[in-house]
Amino acid sequence: MAAASPDASQLPDSPGWFEAARFGLFVHFGLYSLAARHEWVRSREAMSQQEYDRYLHRFDPDLFDARQLARTARESGMRYAVLTTKHHDGFCLFDSALTDYTSVRATGRDLVREFVDAMRAEGLRVGLYYSLLDWHHPDFTVDEHHPLRGTPAEREPRDMARYRSYMEGQVRELLTGYGPIDLLFFDFSYPAKGPEAWGAGQLMSMVRELQPGILVNDRMGVPGDYVTPEQYQPDRPLERDGVPVRWEACHTLNGSWGYDRDNHDYKDPALLVRMLVQSVACGGNLILNVGPTGRGALDPRARATLRAIGEWTELHGRSVHGAGPAGFETPANALCTRRGRHLYLHLPAWPLKHLHLPGLAGRVRYAQLLHDGSEIGFQETDGARHEHNNLAPPGQPAGTLTLNLPIARPDVLLPVIELELAEGE
Ligand code: GLC
C-alpha cells in the first residue's frame, strides 16, 4: 500500500479527540436571530445601537432547549459542538460581570451554561466561539465593518487597550466558569485589525494557562492548533510550509450562519454527507452550522437535514469517526477513508456491477456493504484469489481487485463499501 498521505492526527501535539470526532455542530444564536436576515444584519444595514436594541427588548429564547440540541447533535453523528458566546454585535449569551449586554440580564438565562451542561451530559466535547469584533463596546474603534462607519462615532476617542482588557476578562470568565472547555473559536482578523489589535500573544498565553488541553483556532491572526477554511471544501490534506496542519471546514446549511428566514439556498443532505466524507478523506473535520430561530428552536428544514444526516451516520459512522485518509490511490469517483485495517469506499455515483481497484489484489480479506453488512464478492486479476469466480475482468491491469456490486444502488445518501484488509496491510 502506498505511503499514507499527510494526516494531522499524526501531529505530535494531537489531543486525539478532535481527529476521532471528525464531525461537529456549530450554533449561531443571538439578537440577530430575531432580525432573521443574517448575523451581520446590524453592520449590513448600518443600524445604530438604539435601532438594534429592538431585538434586545424582545429577546425571549423560550424554545432554546440545549438538551434537545445536544441530543439532535449526537443523533446526527456529531461528536462536539461550538456555540457563539458573543458574536460581532457584542451580545453575550453568558453571565459576564463586565457588561450588562447579556442574555442573563435580558432573560435571566445563561445560555452558555445550559449549552455546556447539555453537551457534556450527552457525551459531546464542548467548544466556545468568541468574536474578537464587538460593535457594542464603546472602546472598539469604528472600522469598515462597524455599523457606525461614516458617522461622527468614527472620530470619537476610543481606546482599544481598554477593549483588550475587556476581552481578556471575558475569555477568562468563559474559561474559568464553565468547567473544562475543549475548543475555542476566535473570530476574526482582517486588514484593519489583527494580532496587535487583539493582543493575541497575551490572550493566547492566558488561554493556555487557564485550559492547557484546549484547542484554539487560527483566527486571531497567529498560528493556533488548527485552521478553519470557511464555506470552502478542501479536496486534499492541508499543509503549512509543507507540514500537515489540523483543520476543520466550517459550513452553513444555506449560506448564512444566523437564522435567515427568506434564504432558501439549502445544501441537500447528500451533499453535506459527501462534504463530511471528503473532509475525513483529506484528514480534516467538518463543523456544520445551525442558526436557531429568534425563539431558539431549529427550523423544520434544519431539523430534517440533521435527521437525514443522522440516518446515514447511524449506519455508516465508522467510516468517519476515528477514520482518516485511506493512504492509497483513490478510484475515480470514490471518496476513501481508512480506520485501522478497514478501508471505506464511498460511492457518490453507483457503477454498473463492477468496481475496479488497481493494486488491491491480494490485500483484501472480505468486502461488504456497510449499511446492511451484506457480503460483496470480488475477483482478482492476478489469479492469487478467487472467492466467487475466476473470470478476470477484461482490460484491467494485473493486481486489480474487482468488486461485484448489485445492480440496485443501496437506498442511502451515500453508499459505502467496507473492505477488510489482509494482515500486515
Ligand atoms: C465569519 C463571519 C461570521 C461567522 C463566522 C463563522 O467570520 O463573520 O459571521 O460567525 O464566519 O466561521
Side-chain angles (χ1 to χ4, degrees):
M1 190 149 296
S5 44
D7 175 359
S9 64
Q10 292 153 12
L11 293 172
D13 57 347
S14 173
W17 73 263
F18 185 77
E19 279 77 21
R22 289 303 185 206
F23 191 25
L25 177 73
F26 215 161
V27 182
H28 274 67
F29 184 57
L31 297 180
Y32 47 80
S33 310
L34 283 75
R37 49 185 192 277
H38 202 275
E39 76 284 356
W40 274 63
V41 60
R42 187 174 166 210
S43 169
R44 285 183 172 184
E45 300 180 17
M47 279 187 215
S48 67
Q49 186 63 56
Q50 201 190 350
E51 286 172 290
Y52 194 66
D53 279 348
R54 64 181 182 266
Y55 308 123
L56 175 69
H57 299 137
R58 289 162 187 92
F59 186 61
D60 178 15
D62 64 332
L63 301 180
F64 184 90
D65 181 347
R67 280 187 298 185
Q68 174 67 48
L69 201 55
R71 209 172 312 127
T72 302
R74 188 180 47 73
E75 288 172 0
S76 307
M78 293 152 163
R79 294 287 186 264
Y80 63 108
V82 180
L83 173 68
T84 50
T85 62
K86 177 192 91 166
H87 203 262
H88 307 337
D89 63 3
F91 184 67
C92 300
L93 301 186
F94 60 103
D95 192 10
S96 176
L98 305 172
T99 178
D100 285 344
Y101 201 45
T102 71
S103 64
V104 182
R105 285 302 176 108
T107 67
R109 288 173 66 184
D110 182 334
L111 301 181
V112 170
R113 168 97 48 220
E114 294 177 21
F115 181 85
V116 170
D117 291 349
M119 296 302 152
R120 287 256 174 251
E122 206 62 53
L124 302 182
R125 295 279 179 163
V126 176
L128 304 179
Y129 166 109
Y130 184 83
S131 171
L132 299 163
L133 288 71
D134 193 319
W135 300 325
H136 176 265
H137 197 282
D139 281 310
F140 186 86
T141 53
V142 177
D143 57 32
E144 53 174 342
H145 296 311
H146 201 289
L148 301 182
R149 62 191 174 272
T151 73
E154 271 182 345
R155 292 179 295 282
E156 280 168 6
R158 290 177 173 235
D159 181 358
M160 280 296 283
R162 265 203 311 244
Y163 175 64
R164 275 192 289 280
S165 29
Y166 173 78
M167 276 205 298
E168 209 178 295
Q170 286 209 315
V171 172
R172 180 179 292 277
E173 288 178 329
L174 287 168
L175 298 186
T176 53
Y178 297 86
I181 300 299
D182 299 297
L183 178 149
L184 196 52
F185 193 115
F186 285 117
D187 194 36
F188 67 88
S189 296
Y190 47 108
K193 290 187 176 74
E196 229 170 280
W198 315 131
Q202 201 174 316
L203 201 50
M204 195 67 107
S205 319
M206 187 192 75
V207 169
R208 303 267 184 231
E209 193 190 308
L210 295 176
Q211 299 254 0
I214 203 166
L215 287 176
V216 186
N217 75 348
D218 62 335
R219 292 195 183 179
M220 277 205 288
V222 292
D225 303 307
Y226 69 106
V227 302
T228 54
E230 177 174 332
Q231 306 222 44
Y232 172 79
Q233 188 57 49
D235 65 351
R236 65 202 63 193
L238 296 185
E239 303 181 350
R240 198 194 298 123
D241 306 325
V243 180
V245 286
R246 184 181 291 121
W247 61 270
E248 172 198 70
C250 51
H251 285 287
T252 57
L253 290 178
N254 63 354
S256 174
W257 300 90
Y259 179 57
D260 195 2
R261 185 192 57 211
D262 303 333
N263 173 340
H264 301 294
D265 203 7
Y266 282 95
K267 299 172 186 79
D268 92 81
L271 172 61
L272 292 164
V273 165
R274 288 202 300 278
M275 289 157 55
L276 168 62
V277 172
Q278 186 166 38
S279 295
V280 179
C282 300
N285 284 20
L286 185 141
I287 186 163
L288 184 61
N289 181 74
V290 293
T293 66
R295 296 179 64 181
L298 293 188
D299 65 275
R301 186 71 186 252
R303 270 188 277 129
T305 301
L306 292 183
R307 205 176 313 116
I309 294 173
E311 277 173 25
W312 185 87
T313 54
E314 196 185 352
L315 297 174
H316 304 93
R318 64 189 198 238
S319 80
V320 296
H321 298 132
F328 82 106
E329 206 194 320
T330 301
N333 242 333
L335 295 167
C336 302
T337 63
R338 176 173 185 163
R339 184 187 202 232
R341 287 242 316 281
H342 290 95
L343 285 183
Y344 297 93
L345 303 175
H346 304 76
L347 302 179
W350 193 247
L352 174 71
K353 291 199 283 196
H354 299 116
L355 184 68
H356 305 293
L357 303 168
L360 278 191
R363 299 169 130 179
V364 171
R365 276 214 308 224
Y366 191 80
Q368 63 177 3
L369 279 166
L370 185 51
H371 73 288
D372 65 354
S374 62
E375 185 175 15
I376 291 290
F378 57 81
Q379 37 200 320
E380 298 169 310
T381 49
D382 61 4
R385 300 160 65 90
H386 304 284
E387 301 273 336
H388 290 264
N389 69 54
N390 58 4
L391 289 179
Q396 294 300 323
T400 299
L401 177 108
T402 297
L403 301 175
N404 301 325
L405 304 180
I407 293 284
R409 176 193 182 281
D411 187 18
V412 293
L413 288 183
L414 179 59
V416 183
I417 295 159
E418 181 178 56
L419 302 179
E420 186 187 318
L421 293 170
E423 302 282 345
E425 288 293 342

